[in-house]
Amino acid sequence: MGKAIVKLNISTYAIEEYVVEVPCKKDDVEEIIISNAWKILKEQEGGSLPYGARKAEILKRTD
């Protein structure tokens, strides 16, 4: 099992950036990894995230 480093952005009045480490399999598609990253971030932030446009980018993947 590998890991992916995902950068998440939420565009509020102040742009908020987060970096999350997500466990993933070698053949996981990007959409699954990004979805899991949002779930992990939501848990870390106490169950809710601010409103705003969201963007995600996978920075690095390791197998």
Side-chain angles (χ1 to χ4, degrees), residues 36-53:
N36 288 338
W38 285 113
K39 288 177 189 175
I40 290 170
L41 178 62
K42 189 173 179 180
E43 287 177 9
Q44 289 177 351
E45 293 295 312
S48 64
L49 296 173
Y51 290 105

Side-chain angles (χ1 to χ4, degrees), residues 8-18 38 41 49-55:
L8 304 168
N9 292 317
I10 302 175
S11 297
T12 58
Y13 290 110
I15 296 175
E16 299 186 32
E17 291 187 347
Y18 306 91
W38 285 113
L41 178 62
L49 296 173
Y51 290 105
R54 296 179 179 187
K55 185 172 77 168

Side-chain angles (χ1 to χ4, degrees), residues 22 25 60:
V22 181
K25 297 178 184 170
K60 184 179 179 181

